[in-house]
Each structure stands twice: as C-alpha cells, then as structure tokens.
Amino acid sequence: MNTPDSVERSAFGTLPDGRRVDLYRIVNGNGVEMEVTNYGGIITSLKTPDAQGRLDDIVLGFGSLDGYLSDAYRQSNPYFGALIGRYGNRIAGGTFELNGKTYDLAKNDGPNHLHGGDKGFNRVLWNATPFENDSGSGLMLTYTSADGEEGYPGKLDVEVTYTLTDNNELAIDYKATTTRATPVNLTQHSYFNLGGEGSGDILDHQVMINADEFTPINETLIPTGEIKSVKGTPFDFTKATAIGERINDDNQQLVRARGYDHNFVIDRASATDDTLVLAARVSDPESGRVMEVATTEPGIQFYSGNFLDGTLTGKGGNAYGHRSGLALETQHYPDSPNQADFPSTILKPGDTYQSRTVYTFSTE
C-alpha cells in the first residue's frame, strides 16, 4: 500500500481471530490531527487548536484496540467514534415489514434494535485506503455486508470516506448499493468535548440546532410519530443555549431520555436533497473552540452523554463521567421503516445511497 506523506499507518492491535487492526494518523496543513482505525471506522482522536493555539484531543475514545474490545466497553457500548450501520438509531420492537415480508432484528436496546444490532458496522473490520488529493488527506473505508447480516435483506456494498481539509473540515461521505430493498441509515458516532476529552462535562457548551421541530419519543425512546415544535420547550436551540441551562427541567421528554437524546428536524427549507445545510453549531466558552455541522441529511440526533457513568477510562487516563461528551449524529429519523410519514430510508437495487456531513472546526 502506498501511503501518502500526510497519512501515517501503524499497528493498533489484533482481533481475537488474529486479524491485524491498523491506525491511520492524518494531519492537515494547520496541524489539525485525526486518528482513525479500520476497526469500526472509529475516530479515536481528533486534535484541534483552542483560541490560544493549543492542541487538545476533543473526542472521547481509547489509545489502543483493547479499550474497544473490553468487556466493560461492550457492556455499556457507547459507540465512541464509530461508523454506524446498517441503521443508525432505533427500530421499534426490532422488526419491520418490507414488500410484504417481516424482518426480525436483534433487540439490543431493551425491546428495540439499535445502531445495526449485535455486530453493527461499529464492530467490523473495514478495508482501508489512505489518499491525498486536492481536497485534503484522508481514508476511504469499504465493507460488504452480506445478505441477511444482522437480519437485514440484501448484500450491501458500503463506502465511507473521511477527508481532513486545510480549512479544518472533516468531511464524511457515505455511499451504498444493495442487491435487495433494505433500510439504510448511516452515521458517525463521535462524542465531542470542545474543552478536551477528560476535561469534565459539556454542560457549559453552547449549542445551536437549526431546527424548529423535533420528534418526541415514548418510554423506550422510539419516536411517537409526532413532529412537534420546539418553541416554548427545553428543545428550542434555535438560538445558542448552554446545554445545562434546561437539561434538568421537569419535562417528560427529558425524563424519558435522562437528558437530550432526540432527533431534530433540520430546517432545510428550499434546499435540495444533496445540498449541505447547517444543522448545528457548538461552542465552548472556556477554550474558544467552535464546531459547525453541515449535512445533506434531514435530521440530527443530539445526545448529551446521559448514560456515561464514569466506568470507562479514556486515553488520557480520565474517567468519562456523566455528560462528559456530546454526540451530533446526522441521520434520517429513528424508526423510519415503521413510520410511513417519515422520510423513507429504503434503498432499492439500482439506486445509490449517498450522504455527506461536514464538521468544521474554528475558534472565537
């Protein structure tokens, strides 16, 4: 493999079946640095400058493969930094009907199916090809999901490209084709703390979400089917608001999720399906770091790290406590295969699934 100068490849560990796992270090012209492993497509590290130019690692994760394979990690399964598929988020009852046939999936989140099942894309070894082009440097990851894998119909060929640009952007391009009609909803599950991983909670982070509506959830975190206005609720992030300002309000939706774990309906107005639209902006007053998220997707899941409880210790030697990271997962809506009024996630033979999300890092 010819690895470009801006990408370094090294050994990251060995899977129980003996297969080698690699780590790829990608650096842009400004010194922003990302590390990605081909196990699960996991972004293990992302170092960006603060307002004083100091680099800190702003994503949660581990310094070796063992952390991602440990029993403690698998029991809590926070999906740190991983690629998620075939279906990001939840499918009610672990079942859906398609073309007159019922498909049963793993129930790995209470009564529901979550993030692709027992062995989703976060736990497979991807083929990795480093590259350098006019846009930047990065890694192309490919994987073929067999017909019937985790209960899903059709052989699915997947390609995900991470590109780190000199504009301090992390662009993620998703592409997939199938041999049979199947639900597809790919996303990326990095947890961000703009103060640096292990630096404490994210409750002071200011969040803006470009969404006038969200999808309320039932007791098992499945959308009820309603599209509800955020106005007058703790879910109104149309103007930048500290995460901690309303997270403990006496609100049924917050109580059910133990905080924020909801899909927001991005205001795409007259934008076409393949147009990038700003979905969210996060800033940390302490470090001055800013992250903007633009996407072609119709939704974004805002998760405030409610289930982190300090049992996992990250690469910096710090325990990841309650709300020590936040996730912003661009996506189609949860449980879309069972919700006829939601945008469809069914990919058909002959069609190509394509999606793009860009995270842009800056300071203020």
Side-chain angles (χ1 to χ4, degrees), residues 209-233:
I209 301 176
N210 181 23
D212 293 324
E213 298 171 316
F214 76 110
T215 52
I217 53 174
N218 66 17
E219 295 84 351
T220 67
L221 311 188
I222 293 292
T224 62
E226 181 185 7
I227 306 285
K228 185 176 181 180
S229 172
V230 300
K231 192 172 182 179
T233 78

Side-chain angles (χ1 to χ4, degrees), residues 32-334:
V32 172
E33 175 188 317
M34 179 172 74
E35 292 183 335
V36 183
T37 173
N38 56 335
Y39 175 74
I42 295 169
I43 296 173
T44 65
S45 173
L46 180 60
K47 294 177 180 176
T48 69
D50 66 8
Q52 278 70 51
R54 173 183 149 178
L55 285 177
D56 280 309
D57 190 349
I58 62 167
V59 297
L60 276 54
F62 303 108
S64 72
L65 180 63
D66 291 345
Y68 299 99
L69 300 180
S70 71
D71 289 341
Y73 181 76
R74 291 201 170 186
Q75 285 165 13
S76 61
N77 208 1
Y79 301 90
F80 288 155
L83 287 178
I84 303 296
R86 286 190 192 187
Y87 199 92
N89 222 305
R90 296 171 175 88
I91 295 177
T95 188
F96 66 91
E97 187 176 305
L98 182 59
N99 296 334
K101 182 176 178 180
T102 299
Y103 292 90
D104 292 317
L105 311 171
K107 296 177 182 178
N108 60 325
D109 184 57
N112 304 315
H113 178 79
L114 176 66
H115 290 336
D118 291 330
K119 190 180 179 184
F121 291 175
N122 59 300
R123 288 181 57 193
V124 303
L125 192 63
W126 294 68
N127 294 314
T129 306
F131 66 86
E132 188 171 8
N133 58 29
D134 292 341
S135 299
S137 303
L139 198 66
M140 184 176 73
L141 297 159
T142 58
Y143 176 70
T144 297
S145 176
D147 186 2
E149 183 173 287
E150 285 297 316
Y152 289 95
K155 177 171 78 78
L156 191 75
D157 288 313
V158 186
E159 177 185 299
V160 180
T161 304
Y162 292 135
T163 306
L164 184 62
T165 78
D166 284 340
N167 293 321
N168 294 350
E169 300 162 327
L170 168 57
I172 308 175
D173 290 282
Y174 306 86
K175 190 182 291 187
T177 57
T178 185
T179 59
R180 296 168 65 194
T182 188
V184 180
N185 191 25
L186 306 180
T187 192
Q188 220 288 334
H189 208 298
S190 285
Y191 287 68
F192 297 95
N193 185 323
L194 298 186
E197 64 88 28
S199 66
D201 65 46
I202 41 78
L203 296 178
D204 288 338
H205 283 35
Q206 298 275 326
V207 172
M208 186 285 295
I209 301 176
N210 181 23
D212 293 324
E213 298 171 316
F214 76 110
T215 52
I217 53 174
N218 66 17
E219 295 84 351
T220 67
L221 311 188
I222 293 292
T224 62
E226 181 185 7
I227 306 285
K228 185 176 181 180
S229 172
V230 300
K231 192 172 182 179
T233 78
F235 297 86
D236 188 348
F237 287 95
T238 52
K239 293 180 181 174
T241 305
I243 294 171
E245 185 168 318
R246 299 172 304 206
I247 199 168
N248 295 316
D249 282 9
D250 183 15
N251 174 280
Q252 184 188 59
Q253 287 294 305
L254 291 174
V255 170
R256 285 176 175 173
R258 303 189 195 178
Y260 296 105
D261 193 4
H262 293 75
N263 171 66
F264 288 75
V265 178
I266 297 168
D267 181 7
R268 297 192 59 84
S270 58
T272 59
D273 289 347
D274 59 355
T275 302
L276 283 171
V277 168
L278 179 67
R281 183 183 191 272
V282 185
S283 63
D284 172 35
E286 184 72 21
S287 67
R289 288 188 181 89
V290 176
M291 178 178 76
E292 293 183 332
V293 187
T295 187
T296 59
E297 288 293 303
I300 188 167
Q301 187 86 4
F302 172 36
Y303 174 55
S304 52
N306 313 317
F307 294 96
L308 298 175
D309 60 5
T311 57
L312 298 173
T313 298
K315 57 212 157 179
N318 299 302
Y320 290 148
H322 195 218
R323 298 172 178 157
S324 57
L326 67 95
L328 288 165
E329 306 149 65
T330 55
Q331 61 178 13
H332 272 55
Y333 309 165

